[in-house]
Amino acid sequence: MQLRVEGISHAYGGLTVLSALSFEVREGETLAVIGPSGCGKSTLLGILGGILQPATGRVALEGALPADCLNPITYVFQDFALLPWRTVAGNVALPLEHHPLSAAERDRRVGAALSLIGLDDFAEAFPKQLSGGMRQRVGIARAIVVRPAILLLDEPLSALDAQTRELLSEELLAIWLRERTTSVYVTHNLLEALHLADRVAVLSRRPGRLARMVEVKVPRAERGDPAHAAELARLHDELWGLMRGEAQAADREIQHG
């Protein structure tokens, strides 16, 4: 399934945060969204997920849902938002409770999600017993247990330390290479965007407009190969060149606007 964004604009009161934004997310693609602070990245994700209604424009889902899809769109947030009184398996099972599934089917789905994210041995643990990285893995498993057609991720690694971010980034890449879930990934981290995404949408400072769509032609499975280091470094410099002036202007607006 693919996602099409057509002429999206949005404002909070008199403050316009997104303006005339159009792009598509191809089936099976991971699109990273970067931009200066305050440019509307999280607002955009809320509109894509149907949490917010845009002032103008529309979002369209195109194509057939996967056969075992329970929720067309689901989120992974920066905040793990786990229920402390539930086990890992209980947290992952939470979104299944609104669907008419047998106990055996719920257990099968939970087991498959835990296995995919490497949590088989932690099913009966409670969130307080887990590291930050492990708690975020539970959040990811909870999102994929419904087999979404579209996965929306709002800076899911930003609260983690650098080493854990690196490990979880590798695991996310492995999952996407296997599952091919259409995904939109909001991040401030340019290296993370280049590691995970097929394309990178660069937004301008507020109101957020599409400044550039940058394609990462290095195959995702080969991003760690030293042979591609020069190309990825070139793309990083290109992204930062697009971002730097906008980020400086946005910072002045935040400080003095």
Side-chain angles (χ1 to χ4, degrees):
M1 175 165 280
Q2 69 177 19
L3 190 67
R4 188 177 300 278
V5 176
E6 299 177 347
I8 290 296
S9 297
H10 196 69
Y12 297 103
L15 182 66
T16 302
V17 293
L18 294 173
S19 178
L21 198 56
S22 297
F23 60 88
E24 65 177 21
V25 188
R26 303 161 183 159
E27 184 170 357
E29 175 183 49
T30 296
L31 177 73
V33 179
I34 64 172
S37 296
C39 72
K41 298 185 295 295
S42 292
T43 297
L44 171 62
L45 218 60
I47 291 171
L48 298 184
I51 295 174
L52 298 172
Q53 290 298 313
T56 63
R58 73 183 192 112
V59 177
L61 298 179
E62 299 176 348
L65 291 172
D68 56 351
C69 175
L70 296 179
N71 290 354
I73 300 176
T74 193
Y75 279 89
V76 177
F77 296 103
Q78 176 182 342
D79 181 359
F80 316 129
L82 303 182
L83 301 179
W85 59 88
R86 283 189 175 229
T87 64
V88 166
N91 271 282
V92 173
L94 184 62
L96 301 178
E97 295 175 3
H98 306 290
H99 298 279
L101 302 175
S102 67
E105 175 62 10
R106 282 200 302 271
D107 289 346
R108 185 193 69 78
R109 282 180 173 263
V110 170
L114 292 177
S115 179
L116 185 62
I117 201 68
L119 290 171
D120 308 71
D121 296 334
F122 297 88
E124 298 307 314
F126 287 90
K128 67 180 181 180
Q129 299 173 296
L130 305 177
S131 67
M134 293 298 286
R135 289 196 294 273
Q136 189 57 296
R137 287 177 176 88
V138 179
I140 294 168
R142 183 179 55 194
I144 63 178
V145 76
V146 295
R147 298 285 293 167
I150 308 287
L151 187 60
L152 305 177
L153 303 101
D154 194 359
E155 300 194 65
L157 308 184
S158 62
L160 306 174
D161 62 80
Q163 179 176 310
T164 304
R165 286 179 73 143
E166 188 71 23
L167 290 170
L168 202 46
S169 175
E170 294 288 345
E171 292 173 18
L172 278 172
L173 182 58
I175 290 169
W176 279 327
L177 289 172
R178 173 177 166 178
E179 299 296 306
R180 301 291 179 181
T181 303
T182 306
S183 303
V184 180
Y185 189 99
V186 166
T187 181
H188 278 96
N189 190 305
L190 304 187
L191 292 175
E192 203 170 273
L194 289 171
H195 182 64
L196 293 172
D198 298 289
R199 292 185 299 155
V200 182
V202 183
L203 300 189
S204 68
R205 69 184 184 274
R206 188 174 61 233
R209 298 179 175 89
L210 184 61
R212 187 79 60 84
M213 186 70 77
V214 176
E215 186 170 2
V216 186
K217 294 183 179 180
V218 178
R220 281 194 286 177
E222 300 175 19
R223 305 272 169 94
D225 189 331
H228 300 300
E231 172 62 9
L232 293 173
R234 185 194 68 77
L235 287 170
H236 181 276
D237 290 346
E238 179 181 346
L239 292 177
W240 180 234
L242 292 166
M243 284 268 299
R244 184 170 183 169
E246 295 286 88
Q248 288 174 331
D251 182 64
R252 287 193 295 271
E253 289 172 358
I254 292 168
Q255 294 292 329
H256 305 297

